[in-house]
Structures are given as C-alpha cells and as structure tokens.
Amino acid sequence: MAIAADIQQMFYSFYVHKEHRNYLRFFWYKDHDLSKPLVEYRMCVHVFGNSPSPAIATYGLRKSAENSEEDVKTFVNKDFYVDDALTSLPTVKEAVSLMKRTQADLHSDGLVLHKVVSNKEEVVLSFPPDQRAKGLKDLDLSVDFLPVQRSLGLRWDLNSDSFFFDVTEDCKPYTRRGVLSIVNSLF
C-alpha cells in the first residue's frame, strides 16, 4: 500500500542567516501603497524560486530527522523529493505508525507533515481531516471510491492504484522547442 504527504510551506520554515539576507533584497512600495516610494526589504526565510532553496530545505529536513528512529530517518532521506513524500509499506499499521512518528519528529523542528493520502481508506481515516490531502478532508464513507490525487506532477487514481498524466492537446510545431515544450509540460 502506498502513502504520500507534503511538508507545509517547507521553504518558509528555514531562516536565512542575518549576514546572508542582503543577497535576498527586493524593493516594494511602502505600506503596499503604489503612490508611496519604493522601500528596500530583505527576505528572512528561504523562498520558492531561489536556486539554492530546495537544497537548503532538503538539508534542513534531513537534519530534522537525524536523531529519529532508523525507519523514520530512512523515509525522510530516501522517500522525499524536496517537500513531497511518497512511499510504500506492507500494512496499514506500519504506514500509519511511520507517518505519525515522522510527523512528531519533524514537528519538534517546526515542520508540519500534512496532506496525507493513501490508496487505503483505513490509512486516510487514521489522520484528522485537517492533515489529509485536498479532496480527502471530508471523506464520505458511503461512497465506494476515493478521489484522484496529484503526486509529484502525476495524477494518482487511488481506486485502481495507478498513476497517469494528462497531456494537453496544444498544437506545437515539430521543432526542438515545440517537442521540449510538450515533454516538459507533463510536470
């Protein structure tokens, strides 16, 4: 059985050293008023889009699990792609245990593991609605199917436990640029 989760606003969880904040300067209008002059600001946390942010956040995530039990440490080190986790375990009990222990260990360092999703309803129901993935928060037990989820750029049909992707039918020229545009649009 598979289980996936996400770290809530992972990049924002890691502060930039004071001496490095000058490298993340930007200008914006004072008090968000376009009629006022521009003011210089500095980012205090890492942001999405900054080249080193994924590496820094991954390092911080792994440091957070450094003193965890061996299976939690392995899960964090091997089954995360930046802030997205995806793994497979043989039983519901093992899956729930691993996720809950990982949540607790990461929470002690201010990281929130949420958006839990699994192809087994029992796993999903082991977590409160605010920790479940979108579409699973208000799971209706009278319905015999689970909604399709997104995981690492793919769509995951929880009922058939299969991954698929949608391809847009945009007409692109048969050039290097056109082919790359289609291929890169999958994620």
Side-chain angles (χ1 to χ4, degrees):
M1 124 199 23
I3 189 164
D6 175 80
I7 302 284
Q8 185 177 43
Q9 297 183 340
M10 185 161 144
F11 293 165
Y12 295 155
S13 299
F14 298 102
Y15 290 96
V16 176
H17 285 291
K18 249 184 180 162
E19 62 270 14
H20 297 155
R21 291 180 184 168
N22 278 338
Y23 298 110
L24 294 173
R25 286 185 290 187
F26 65 98
F27 293 95
W28 191 245
Y29 297 97
K30 185 174 183 169
D31 301 324
H32 303 291
D33 185 348
L34 299 179
S35 65
K36 292 187 177 179
L38 288 174
V39 178
E40 184 178 282
Y41 292 95
R42 290 168 179 78
M43 294 299 299
C44 297
V45 294
H46 288 278
V47 293
F48 183 80
N50 188 25
S51 296
S53 291
I56 292 166
T58 299
Y59 176 79
L61 173 65
R62 290 177 178 172
K63 285 297 272 184
S64 295
E66 202 171 54
N67 297 320
S68 298
E69 294 175 47
E70 204 55 44
D71 63 337
V72 171
K73 201 181 327 182
T74 300
F75 173 54
V76 169
N77 288 328
K78 305 252 184 215
D79 296 330
F80 269 81
Y81 179 75
V82 188
D83 63 342
D84 293 314
L86 180 60
T87 194
S88 179
L89 293 153
T91 67
V92 168
K93 184 178 177 182
E94 289 176 270
V96 171
S97 172
L98 178 66
M99 292 304 281
K100 289 194 181 262
R101 288 181 292 118
T102 304
Q103 280 181 323
D105 289 355
L106 296 180
H107 190 329
S108 64
D109 284 330
L111 298 172
V112 178
L113 187 64
H114 72 145
K115 293 185 182 177
V116 175
V117 61
S118 175
N119 58 338
K120 292 289 185 190
E121 192 175 304
E122 304 93 319
V123 174
V124 173
L125 293 174
S126 299
F127 294 89
D130 64 321
Q131 293 178 3
R132 297 180 199 159
K134 185 178 177 184
L136 299 177
K137 292 182 184 285
D138 300 314
L139 191 60
D140 183 2
L141 297 175
S142 64
V143 180
D144 287 337
F145 70 91
L146 296 169
V148 173
Q149 296 292 309
R150 291 189 62 82
S151 181
L152 297 172
L154 297 173
R155 294 173 47 91
W156 180 15
D157 185 339
L158 299 174
N159 301 299
S160 65
D161 195 21
S162 59
F163 288 99
F164 61 97
F165 53 89
D166 295 324
V167 178
T168 60
E169 293 188 27
D170 294 343
C171 216
K172 302 280 184 182
Y174 190 67
T175 62
R176 191 177 330 178
R177 182 177 290 209
V179 170
L180 287 173
S181 175
I182 295 291
V183 170
N184 289 327
S185 72
L186 298 178
F187 190 78

